[in-house]
Amino acid sequence: MGTALIYDEEMTSYKLLWDDPECEVEVPERLTVSYEALVRSGLADHCVSIPVREATEEEILLIHSEEYLEKVKKTPHMSVQELKDFALQFNAVYFHPNSYHCAKLAVGAALQLVDHVLMGKVRNGMALVRPPGHHSMRDAACGFCTFNNVAIAAQYAKQKYGLKRVLIVDWDIHHGQGVQYCFEDDPSVLYFSWHRYEHSIFWPHLPESDYDAVGKDKGVGFNINVPWNKVGMTNSDFLSVFCHVLLPVAYEFCPELVLVSAGYDSGIGDPEGEMCATPDIFAHLTHLLMNLAGGKVCAVLEGGYNLTSLSQSVCQTVQTLLGDPNPRPENLRSPCQSALESIHCVRWAHRRYWSCLGHAADLSSFQISTKPSGSPKEAGESTWKDKVAVVWPEPVKRVAPPVRTAALLSDEAVCPEGCKRLATSDKLDPRVAGKLRENFLEGEGDSEALSALSGLITLTEKMEKDEILNGLAVVRDITMATACVVQHVTMAPNNRVLVVCVGDGEAPSNITEDRKALVVRIGSRETKQSKCKNDIPVCLKKGCADVSGVIQAVFGLLLPLGYEFDPSLVLLVRMPGSEVSDGVWQQLTGLLQCLAQGHVLVLIQECEKSCVSPTACSLLGEPAPPLGQLQAPLPQDVEDMERLRRKLLADWTLLQTTAADTG
Ligand SMILES: NCCCNCCCCCC(=O)CS
Ligand SMILES: [Zn+2]
């Protein structure tokens, strides 16, 4: 199934007709540079092009009032002066004779995308639209927005397809207060937004944009606001919020559809956001959402005003939706104190509504940075032109290797659909063979074992050379196989391997202190107390059969560790007898492809070959099936994981979830 791209140059046919410093950034070129970048990079050709359509009045009335619609309907016939006066009644908007037409196309584009995804014609997709939507309200335009494209899409999806749970992820740098107002009392729509706030001195200065606006009545808990109280937030801040706030809650919620209010004014160089996250981060944010809702992800453009940053970020998003491997995240470091405060506050505010946040540390442990007293004054109002020009490196080219998934199997085993069987006939370099015999086979002449190990070496080398993206291997002795890969990979100077062992069993013996290998073991009990600090055992009372326990460990520990470790290879090992369900296993296999440019090698023990085909599906880029709404993790497990997290904080900064965590 493909990735939809919805774009029509008709939506460039309106613009600002008078002087207004606040609106001048919202130019038609935003759409043309984005689309042209997709065409130039060849990404547009790999997408399924879907035509736009005008939304009907009935669809607009799903969210907006008749009075408001009747007002907007009059704009095509207005003079410039009348348009100007009309706009004055709203906050930070402008109108043009063509605005109404374009606003109906923007809504229609979003609905076309939702239809094609929910009818299974495409897997996911992106709608490049303007005007944006997330600020507009039932009775008012606001912040360049006329109709609330994403809010209408959510309501439309519920009504037409009977969806019970829709997740809206708003990564735009502004708070989509319009969306919040629509759904704050609605438990079927979980709205997540981060936004520049600076304790309300940033536009639109709303108290209800703060972290304590958690929803109302039946909707308490279903509105999540992460305020950025400083500018300059980085990739590390963004990933920390996804791992420690959004994703655990999103998996507990288990949405049937993910709508993204994809605004790129949160990217570096944007005059509105003034943040420092680079365009490649949107590849990771997108990837981390793609195993939710069975992969049904609809991204709808909101803001984004630096044309270079915008077009690069749009390309990063679409390339990930297409399934291409993610770029390795550049030099991640500790989230900043302000971001940690925000994470701490929002986790605390939601601790009663989401069991995955039940243990969130209370706020007494540190003094929240005080809100400025008195009425908010506009943040130092310099127009975007006199902002100093920001530069950043062009995102690295992301090339998909010629073979996506290779399989190392015994001769009689059937090769899963879509995988390429690895020919072990390749002559193994006699020196390597000698080392393997000496290190792993105690010299015995077991040619079968030797060919299996040499096959693993070949697999690993083909990944390093980008001849294949990922692979799976069915082996007889999984501990030996793991040790063999670890040894081979860590021989090269700047290679690092993240070993994820799922289920109980011995960690590979040759893990050294040199941080070239990091082992995270998710199992039911402490085997022997791990002596070296690069071997991290996560213990769950019920072992890997505990879905919410495993998910808690994945987002709270494994992914932050993985991102910070930044491996060149991920080795995912399914220990024999691990009771992990295929669903959880596929989630893991899918999510871990966000690391190491997607180079994931999965090891399966001969006796477990029933999980070969689900593994292959995930390695081939199929979204993992939804896990269902998650139960609360066991309190004992949560305490153990919290203790482990605090112990690891000294070495791993992305594990922090509160400002008090440092030191
Ligand atoms: N530069 C500080 C002044 C803030 N003005 C805000 C104007 C509305 C922005 C709306 C928007 O970007 C939609 S995504
Ligand atoms: Zn915005």
Side-chain angles (χ1 to χ4, degrees), residues 134 172-174 265 303:
H134 68 156
D172 185 285
I173 205 57
H174 296 95
D265 40 19

Side-chain angles (χ1 to χ4, degrees), residues 22 92 132 134-135 143-144 172 174 202-203 265 272 302-303 305 378 381:
E22 196 159 43
H134 68 156
H135 294 301
F144 314 155
D172 185 285
H174 296 95
F202 188 70
W203 186 91
D265 40 19
E272 277 290 322
E302 296 280 3
Y305 306 101
E378 185 58 16
E381 199 37 42

Side-chain angles (χ1 to χ4, degrees), residues 59 62-63 107 110-111 114 118 148-169 179 182-183 186 188-191 256-261 298 300:
E59 286 158 350
L62 285 171
I63 289 292
V107 174
L111 301 185
V114 165
L118 290 179
N148 203 314
N149 310 318
V150 166
I152 295 170
Q155 210 62 326
Y156 178 84
K158 285 172 55 184
Q159 193 180 71
K160 182 172 179 182
Y161 297 92
L163 299 193
K164 298 278 174 293
R165 294 184 307 282
V166 176
L167 168 64
I168 300 175
V169 178
V179 183
C182 291
F183 301 116
D186 182 347
S188 68
V189 179
L190 170 57
Y191 178 59
E256 300 159 291
L257 172 68
V258 179
L259 297 175
V260 183
S261 266
C298 299
V300 180

